[in-house]
Amino acid sequence: MKVPSVCLWLLTAGVYGLATREPFNNSIVFGASNNANRDRTLTPLKSYNGWVNPEDLTPMPQCIAQQDQSAWLNTMTKCTSHRCTDWFIWCTHQQWLTQLSCLKTEFSSDIIARYLPYCDRSLLAKAQLYRWIHAITGRTWLVQAGDANGLQYLSPASLSKGYATLEVTDYAPTCLTGSDSAPSMEPFQHVIASCSFTSTTQHTGNAARPWEYSGSLKSMIALDSETAGYNDLVRGMVGYGNYFDKKCFCGAFTYDPNNEPCSGLDLTKERLWIHATCGSMSLPYNWMDKLKIMGFAYVRIELWYWSVDVADMPKQVVQLTDRCVTDACEVDSNGYCNVKHAVDRACFCSALTIDPEKEPSSALELTKERLWINATCGPTSLPSDWTDKLKTTGFAYIPIEEWNWPRCFADMPEQVIERPDHQCATDVCEADANGYCEVKRVVDRACFCRDITYDSCGGSCHIFETRMDYVMWLHDLCGDVQDWHGLPDNYRQLAAPTPLDMIPWQWSLKPMETCVSNEWKLRSFALINIATLIAAFLSLGKSTPRIVRGFLWHPHPGGWLSKGTVIVALQLLANWFNTFLVLKTPGYEDTPVIQLMLLWCSMPRLTWLIILLTGVRSFDAQDSSVASSSLFAELIFQLLSSYYMVMTIQYGRKHSFYSGSLENAKRWKSAQLMYVGALAWLIVWLIVICLAYVGLILAATYWIHESRRRSKKTLLMGGQGKAYGTFAAASQNNKASGKIPVVLFQILVIGMLLLWIAQWLFWGGFIGVSSEEFCPPKLGILTIVWIASSFAGVIVAAT
């Protein structure tokens, strides 16, 4: 904004009538004298019987100073007279004084009515006038009662459309600031002046002497006036500066849309300024037509030349650009126009011609040129087949930063690894947000896939999870490339776990000839269990009654332990003998002995069934050797089973078999059954161990307490007769103490039953998923050996 230098009172009647059409200058609104920033301190007026010095009166309000002041000054003159102010026998001093009561009478509604239409434009100017009238006359209205309502207490919301700094008039074109308002023919600059205000009240003249009587003019004259100060009139604060009321200006200044003062670029500046200041309601409905605004139609010269340089366009394009350079408006954040150099897109595109014979021979350069022309002028300036032969990112080309290798990268041949960086690397265009070419380093997909197949990589690329990743990588990379057949026909099976992948151990029993069916493998297990069940019934049917209460101890501690050891030894001997038979079979010589024996130890058996059959008999029997030995043998077998069970669980967790990765695999249901069985076995085994441990502690505590109590009774009782009584009491205590062993017995039996079921699930799933990979030879002989060992174990336990 230009520095204010002309006093506000220049807009008096004389200047008002002689106003020219010079370019608008903000200084005509708010000039300032040397006293401009000095506030006038309000002090009680020195009165001479109701007469005061004119210089003690409040300066003229802003809206009065901007109009013809003659009526106002005449009123002031009527109330001013040459009066004696000092007497000594006669009058020794006279001066011009103004009578306050006269002012109160003379500044009637009729006088104010002459000035109110102009002052009523601006809310702040009207409020300032009201304060002056109220101070002089004491009235609470201006012309008629109620016309000053709300002027006493203004708030920021009182300016309904807000305000703007006078600097924004610099954005208005000269043709607008030099024009007149259509209905009143009032100049633009005078309308702005009538709506203006300052941050704080400012003086435009001699603040110490605002009024003076001129003897030569025989009239009062104004030496000072005050601007309308926002911070003094409104309960709010604004920063230092000069402002104008938008509602005031927009209501007072209008223009004829059929006879607009501006044209060309100035028309754009004019409409943008009015829209930013007053809104679209002050403009015609089609006010945006023919505007020269930066955007699609007009491109900033910097952006245009940048795009030309990037595309390395021919010289003719650069020359044609220079012919179409013009000025256009770039709309700032407030909606006003900032003039910038731009290229007229319509001018350029209408003159552009494409000569196919002069197009670049390089595919990349051709792509850059065609993308630039399409982004600049659209496809109408290009041949119908302009997209042919373009080198752009997409399926055919993969950006270097998006290239990835499979997990078996370490086993990739060197010649394959070098292809993306050398033989198959090239440059192509990637269209940016504006459609221009941004050169990218990429890998030519067809080039890379041309010489790669599934067999190009060996080692880890063909092993389980890395094989699956490798197959998916090849399929995603080259599967849709024309005439590429680098994957085997069964690649879908290779992309999922194979039956061998789902078996936790690496060895197998693969037959040289035809393998028995899975049903017969399971039937052999069933025969072994049925034979064990029959042997248990036959052996226990001829034995003496036994009692569950005593199965945790025995009068001969070594008896049940030795029997249990023999049972385990018989079973291990059978496993070893069957393993020996397998090793002697041609084609099975490399079978791992210990591994196979441990796997057979996890087979489901009913050897422990003798514990249950013993428990359901009479509780008055005394020999628990059968239950104890069978329990000991079963615990040993379950411990041996844990080797493969735990191995299976760890393998399943490692390869996410427990989280749904088996569903697309062949024989996945059998594999799922095997892994569920192993997990169920572990859960049951841990629960049984914990419950048995707690039961043993409770039983031991109870037995120690009962033993001490019986010993104390025995010492207190004497004689033969008493002894019989003691024996009877002891029998009752033994019977009561059997409750805890019975509960413990039930826990173990239920636990072993659940373990037996889990082992069936495990083996059923294992046989289903392994199929011909687990094919024991001479299955009939092996089954007979296991049946014989089971019979022998039951006989040893029942003896």
Side-chain angles (χ1 to χ4, degrees):
M1 180 179 176
K2 303 173 179 64
V3 178
S5 60
V6 182
C7 295
L8 178 63
W9 51 266
L10 286 178
L11 291 176
T12 56
V15 177
Y16 190 90
L18 298 175
T20 64
R21 295 297 182 266
E22 296 178 358
F24 179 67
N25 188 332
N26 291 339
S27 63
I28 201 169
V29 180
F30 295 122
S33 67
N34 294 333
N35 299 321
N37 295 323
R38 190 180 74 182
D39 293 335
R40 179 176 178 85
T41 304
L42 297 178
T43 58
L45 300 180
K46 185 178 181 181
S47 176
Y48 301 93
N49 296 322
W51 295 79
V52 297
N53 287 317
E55 63 186 36
D56 292 334
L57 295 174
T58 306
M60 182 182 291
Q62 171 183 309
C63 66
I64 304 301
Q66 292 173 334
Q67 301 183 66
D68 183 353
Q69 305 164 12
S70 57
W72 195 274
L73 294 176
N74 288 338
T75 303
M76 296 285 291
T77 302
K78 287 179 182 180
C79 297
T80 303
S81 176
H82 203 234
R83 306 285 294 179
C84 181
T85 58
D86 195 5
W87 291 81
F88 182 74
I89 301 176
W90 58 83
C91 182
T92 59
H93 184 268
Q94 288 184 327
Q95 66 183 80
W96 292 97
L97 298 177
T98 302
Q99 187 179 25
L100 294 178
S101 60
C102 176
L103 291 178
K104 182 176 181 180
T105 303
E106 291 298 326
F107 276 105
S108 63
S109 299
D110 294 336
I111 297 296
I112 305 303
R114 300 181 185 183
Y115 294 94
L116 187 58
Y118 184 87
C119 293
D120 195 42
R121 290 180 180 178
S122 170
L123 184 64
L124 296 185
K126 185 178 179 181
Q128 183 193 31
L129 174 63
Y130 166 76
R131 290 192 178 188
W132 197 94
I133 294 297
H134 180 69
I136 295 298
T137 68
R139 293 203 310 266
T140 57
W141 69 90
L142 294 173
V143 176
Q144 56 186 5
D147 61 2
N149 290 346
L151 296 180
Q152 298 92 332
Y153 305 103
L154 297 180
S155 67
S158 300
L159 301 179
S160 56
K161 285 193 175 182
Y163 53 85
T165 62
L166 281 181
E167 283 85 348
V168 301
T169 57
D170 293 338
Y171 292 102
T174 304
C175 56
L176 177 62
T177 59
S179 65
D180 297 334
S181 179
S184 64
M185 298 305 293
E186 182 180 358
F188 176 94
Q189 55 190 357
H190 285 191
V191 176
I192 282 286
S194 68
C195 298
S196 302
F197 60 89
T198 54
S199 54
T200 57
T201 301
Q202 301 289 319
H203 292 276
T204 61
N206 188 350
R209 190 180 179 85
W211 300 96
E212 183 181 82
Y213 184 85
S214 173
S216 60
L217 297 176
K218 296 181 180 181
S219 172
M220 288 286 288
I221 60 174
L223 301 180
D224 183 31
S225 65
E226 287 183 336
T227 63
Y230 182 93
N231 296 341
D232 300 317
L233 297 170
V234 180
R235 288 176 294 176
M237 294 291 292
V238 295
Y240 179 80
N242 302 321
Y243 303 85
F244 69 93
D245 183 347
K246 287 186 176 182
K247 181 180 180 181
C248 169
F249 173 82
C250 299
F253 185 86
T254 56
Y255 72 102
D256 184 359
N258 297 321
N259 188 24
E260 293 186 89
C262 302
S263 60
L265 180 62
D266 284 342
L267 176 63
T268 301
K269 296 168 65 177
E270 167 203 316
R271 291 184 175 181
L272 287 177
W273 192 91
I274 294 176
H275 178 265
T277 304
C278 302
S280 59
M281 297 300 294
S282 301
L283 293 164
Y285 73 94
N286 59 343
W287 70 274
M288 295 192 67
D289 294 350
K290 302 179 181 179
L291 295 190
K292 297 183 69 174
I293 299 177
M294 209 73 70
F296 180 79
Y298 297 92
V299 184
R300 286 188 62 176
I301 193 69
E302 299 88 352
L303 296 177
W304 183 279
Y305 278 121
W306 173 84
S307 65
V308 171
D309 292 340
V310 169
D312 194 20
M313 296 298 291
K315 187 177 180 181
Q316 60 160 338
V317 172
V318 178
Q319 295 173 346
L320 184 58
T321 297
D322 295 337
R323 289 164 45 190
C324 296
V325 173
T326 184
D327 287 334
C329 283
E330 185 174 64
V331 183
D332 66 11
S333 58
N334 295 316
Y336 298 109
C337 170
N338 285 320
V339 178
K340 299 287 185 180
H341 290 305
V343 177
D344 187 337
R345 192 186 296 266
C347 167
F348 176 86
C349 296
S350 61
L352 180 65
T353 56
I354 302 298
D355 187 355
E357 296 182 358
K358 294 183 179 180
E359 287 190 299
S361 57
S362 167
L364 179 61
E365 296 303 318
L366 176 65
T367 301
K368 291 164 68 177
E369 177 184 288
R370 289 187 172 183
L371 286 178
W372 187 90
I373 294 174
N374 178 67
T376 304
C377 300
T380 56
S381 301
L382 291 165
S384 58
D385 59 346
W386 71 274
T387 56
D388 296 348
K389 301 179 182 179
L390 294 189
K391 291 188 69 175
T392 57
T393 53
F395 178 77
Y397 301 99
I398 307 170
I400 286 292
E401 60 271 16
E402 296 180 11
W403 180 266
N404 62 85
W405 291 101
R407 288 160 57 183
C408 58
F409 171 77
D411 290 331
M412 283 279 185
E414 191 69 25
Q415 60 272 23
V416 174
I417 296 175
E418 292 178 352
R419 292 180 68 80
D421 296 327
H422 297 88
Q423 299 96 321
C424 297
T426 184
D427 290 329
V428 300
C429 283
E430 181 177 65
D432 63 11
N434 297 314
Y436 298 113
C437 171
E438 184 177 345
V439 178
K440 288 279 188 180
R441 193 68 175 168
V442 297
V443 178
D444 187 333
R445 190 188 297 265
C447 169
F448 180 84
C449 294
R450 187 181 305 120
D451 298 320
I452 188 171
T453 64
Y454 175 75
D455 295 324
S456 298
C457 176
S460 62
C461 292
H462 290 184
I463 299 176
F464 191 19
E465 289 180 326
T466 51
R467 180 199 70 241
M468 296 163 56
D469 178 68
Y470 176 57
V471 171
M472 295 304 299
W473 177 77
L474 277 177
H475 182 267
D476 294 342
L477 180 64
C478 304
D480 293 331
V481 175
Q482 188 175 5
D483 298 328
W484 184 81
H485 305 287
L487 285 173
D489 295 338
N490 65 334
Y491 79 91
R492 295 186 184 277
Q493 286 75 27
L494 296 175
T498 63
L500 283 179
D501 294 331
M502 293 183 288
I503 299 176
W505 46 92
Q506 302 301 316
W507 58 273
S508 62
L509 293 178
K510 201 167 184 178
M512 296 295 293
E513 298 179 356
T514 305
C515 180
V516 296
S517 65
N518 293 339
E519 289 76 10
W520 273 110
K521 297 173 189 176
L522 294 174
R523 287 171 187 168
S524 67
F525 288 175
L527 289 174
I528 297 169
N529 282 266
I530 293 172
T532 304
L533 179 63
I534 294 173
F537 272 110
L538 293 177
S539 299
L540 293 176
K542 300 178 180 180
S543 61
T544 59
R546 291 164 174 81
I547 183 170
V548 177
R549 180 191 60 190
F551 84 100
L552 289 177
W553 65 86
H554 193 272
H556 304 288
W560 64 267
L561 182 61
S562 59
K563 287 183 180 181
T565 304
V566 172
I567 295 172
V568 173
L570 287 173
Q571 189 62 54
L572 291 177
L573 181 63
N575 289 351
W576 175 85
F577 184 76
N578 283 346
T579 303
F580 176 77
L581 292 178
V582 171
L583 290 175
K584 291 303 180 180
T585 304
Y588 292 87
E589 295 85 356
D590 297 329
T591 302
V593 177
I594 302 299
Q595 297 287 335
L596 183 57
M597 288 182 63
L598 288 174
L599 179 63
W600 279 337
C601 285
S602 65
M603 289 192 306
R605 308 173 193 275
L606 283 176
T607 306
W608 57 271
L609 184 63
I610 193 171
I611 304 172
L612 178 62
L613 296 177
T614 302
V616 298
R617 298 175 65 88
S618 173
F619 280 1
D620 295 330
Q622 297 181 357
D623 189 5
S624 62
S625 176
V626 176
S628 300
S629 59
S630 298
L631 175 62
F632 174 76
E634 187 62 25
L635 291 176
I636 296 299
F637 286 133
Q638 294 298 336
L639 286 174
L640 294 176
S641 298
S642 66
Y643 176 79
Y644 275 99
M645 295 296 181
V646 173
M647 178 194 297
T648 302
I649 294 171
Q650 289 179 339
Y651 189 81
R653 287 181 62 254
K654 179 181 178 182
H655 298 288
S656 303
F657 289 164
Y658 287 106
S659 57
S661 62
L662 290 173
E663 292 185 359
N664 296 323
K666 184 180 179 181
R667 306 174 191 169
W668 68 272
K669 290 186 177 180
S670 296
Q672 191 176 55
L673 193 65
M674 178 178 71
Y675 284 97
V676 169
L679 182 61
W681 181 93
L682 179 63
I683 293 173
V684 173
W685 176 250
L686 293 176
I687 293 175
V688 168
I689 293 298
C690 293
L691 293 178
Y693 178 74
V694 173
L696 286 173
I697 292 177
L698 293 175
T701 303
Y702 182 81
W703 290 333
I704 292 173
H705 175 74
E706 286 296 313
S707 298
R708 290 176 180 176
R709 189 170 61 85
R710 289 195 300 270
S711 298
K712 188 179 293 185
K713 282 187 177 182
T714 303
L715 293 174
L716 294 175
M717 301 174 67
Q720 186 67 24
K722 302 294 183 180
Y724 285 111
T726 303
F727 178 77
S731 298
Q732 293 178 357
N733 290 332
N734 287 337
K735 185 174 183 180
S737 66
K739 294 180 180 178
I740 293 180
V742 168
V743 174
L744 188 59
F745 165 80
Q746 293 172 347
I747 292 173
L748 292 175
V749 170
I750 295 174
M752 286 184 290
L753 172 63
L754 295 177
L755 290 173
W756 179 72
I757 294 174
Q759 287 175 323
W760 266 109
L761 294 176
F762 172 81
W763 272 92
F766 169 65
I767 291 175
V769 73
S770 61
S771 191
E772 294 186 357
E773 298 297 328
F774 182 78
C775 189
K778 306 174 183 177
L779 184 59
I781 298 176
L782 302 182
T783 303
I784 293 173
V785 171
W786 278 319
I787 290 175
S789 67
S790 297
F791 264 101
V794 172
I795 293 172
V796 169
T799 304

